[in-house]
Amino acid sequence: MRIVVLTGGIGGAKFLVGARAYARRTGAEVTAVVNVGDDVVLHGLRISPDLDSVMYTLGGGADPERGWGRVDETWTVKQELAAYQAEPTWFGLGDRDIATHLVRTTMLNAGYPLSAVTEALCVRWQPGVRLLPATDDRLETHVVVSGPDQPADPESAADPGQSGGGERAIHFQEWWVRHRGALPTHRFVFVGAAEAKPAAGVLDALAAADVVLIAPSNPVVSIAPILAVPGIRQALTDGAAPVVGVSPIIGDAPVRGMADRCLAVLDVPCTAAGVAGLYGGRGDGGLLDGWLVDPVDAATRVDGVEVEAVPLWMSDETATAAMVEAAVEAAVRLAGARTGRAAG
Ligand code: GDP
Ligand code: CA
């Protein structure tokens, strides 16, 4: 059984811990296709937040409290940069984390593609899952906003957008980390996506997949940038493997993070049905054969998609592995149904 998982950072990493447990038990093989839209160059270093969240989490080196970055982190370099007033000051780079970025940047500057760099970094972390960036090319999520350049003052009652300013695009990291998404926000743009190619290994993995799972990651800024790489969406819609997604929304709220804020920008309701509608059912030219929702959302209906309710709280590895098992079983059942239809 070959399983491909489309994934972002923190939510996806938790899901992959369960996928790895399921794979160890059943002999399945897991390949993760990871979002790179959050990637950014800061202080000359190439940062890949989602790849690192996944790699550190699976490798046992992630900070469990923050969910991102390294455990036992220290912040000497950050303090020294602040003493120089070196911009940007709003992004936290830990000392241990910086070593990863130094290795990555050095290898990229030497001409290695990000997929090869990721493989090299994984020699240390042994994630137990094959990690592939969605693309080796530059693809950055930018956010078109208006309003002041300074973060909103939480003490001030004024609407953050009132002091005006025309539309401008800022990097997703600046939008989220610096402004906490609290700016009038018009749309997300995946810069470079149109010219990007799937990274080495991605299309082969999708072609060989028995099952494709969409992790309960942020649909707007984690999964959409992956699907924006020409060729990836088509490999899913035209491929033989059934596609089953897992809802990141439980009871009308994201379990954690900013999916509500992102969905609002797209005018999509923050519900399990809203996210499934964004992906679309295969019958309507969309992606999904199946959609897992939490029992509290059991009434969810999505046109042309088989909805199944199973507990979706990734509280520990065992619970998450059970979720993955339910997703794989749904996929296998739906694959059977599709073959039956095609034959009949
Ligand atoms: P990011 O790149 O670090 O933002 O992480 P992802 O995009 O991979 O995942 C973020 C999403 O994970 C959020 O929208 C959360 O709602 C979702 N999430 C986090 N924990 C859980 C959980 O226990 N269950 C489910 N179903 N979703 C979760
Ligand atoms: Ca992310």
Side-chain angles (χ1 to χ4, degrees):
M1 165 79 65
R2 283 176 291 246
I3 304 169
V4 175
V5 181
L6 308 189
T7 175
I10 297 173
K14 280 203 272 181
F15 186 73
L16 287 168
V17 168
R20 179 178 61 186
Y22 170 78
R24 281 180 178 153
R25 180 150 53 75
T26 59
E29 230 175 74
V30 180
T31 300
V33 175
V34 185
N35 173 44
V36 296
D38 297 9
D39 286 25
V40 63
V41 176
L42 295 174
H43 307 295
L45 300 177
R46 169 72 178 266
I47 326 282
S48 296
D50 287 1
L51 279 165
D52 286 347
S53 289
V54 168
M55 183 174 76
Y56 293 155
T57 299
L58 289 166
D63 185 294
E65 303 298 313
R66 283 198 309 276
W68 57 271
R70 294 290 315 281
V71 69
D72 296 330
E73 189 57 283
T74 56
W75 305 91
T76 306
V77 173
K78 184 176 193 241
Q79 288 155 15
E80 290 293 313
L81 287 167
Y84 287 112
Q85 296 182 317
E87 292 290 342
T89 48
W90 43 264
F91 197 87
L93 281 181
D95 299 333
R96 289 179 191 276
D97 200 22
I98 285 171
T100 306
H101 309 318
L102 284 167
V103 175
R104 175 184 291 119
T105 306
T106 304
M107 285 188 74
L108 288 170
N109 289 345
Y112 290 95
L114 182 62
S115 50
V117 175
T118 303
E119 195 179 341
L121 293 169
C122 286
V123 170
R124 171 180 178 193
W125 291 103
Q126 295 292 315
V129 162
R130 183 162 178 233
L131 302 187
L132 296 175
T135 179
D136 284 326
D137 298 320
R138 176 169 174 253
L139 190 172
E140 281 181 11
T141 301
H142 287 204
V143 191
V144 179
V145 299
S146 42
D149 184 45
Q150 290 304 313
D153 177 359
E155 304 291 302
S156 147
D159 177 272
Q162 270 177 9
S163 43
E167 287 194 5
R168 65 186 195 282
I170 58 177
H171 193 285
F172 168 73
Q173 296 292 353
E174 183 171 355
W175 181 75
W176 181 246
V177 180
R178 183 175 180 216
H179 295 282
R180 309 310 300 171
L183 285 172
T185 303
H186 308 292
R187 60 193 172 275
F188 298 93
V189 182
F190 307 125
V191 177
E195 299 79 40
K197 291 177 295 300
V202 169
L203 291 183
D204 288 344
L206 289 172
D210 297 301
V211 168
V212 176
L213 303 181
I214 302 180
S217 288
N218 186 311
V220 181
V221 294
S222 290
I223 302 299
I226 301 175
L227 299 172
V229 177
I232 294 188
R233 174 185 283 275
Q234 201 186 351
L236 296 178
T237 53
D238 297 359
V243 178
V244 172
V246 180
S247 177
I249 309 296
I250 298 179
D252 302 351
V255 176
R256 166 180 179 154
M258 62 187 125
D260 48 347
R261 183 80 189 96
C262 297
L263 287 165
V265 172
L266 271 60
D267 268 331
V268 170
C270 183
T271 60
V275 176
L278 210 49
Y279 295 141
R282 191 185 287 270
D284 303 331
L287 299 176
L288 297 175
D289 295 291
W291 184 239
L292 296 196
V293 302
D294 192 78
V296 300
D297 300 310
T300 302
R301 296 286 173 270
V302 188
D303 276 353
V305 179
E306 192 85 13
V307 177
E308 187 173 319
V310 296
L312 292 191
W313 289 97
M314 299 189 284
S315 42
D316 59 29
E317 185 173 310
T318 311
T320 311
M323 238 169 94
V324 172
E325 180 167 13
V328 171
E329 280 176 359
V332 169
R333 216 173 42 243
L334 291 165
R338 275 173 61 201
T339 322
R341 266 204 308 278

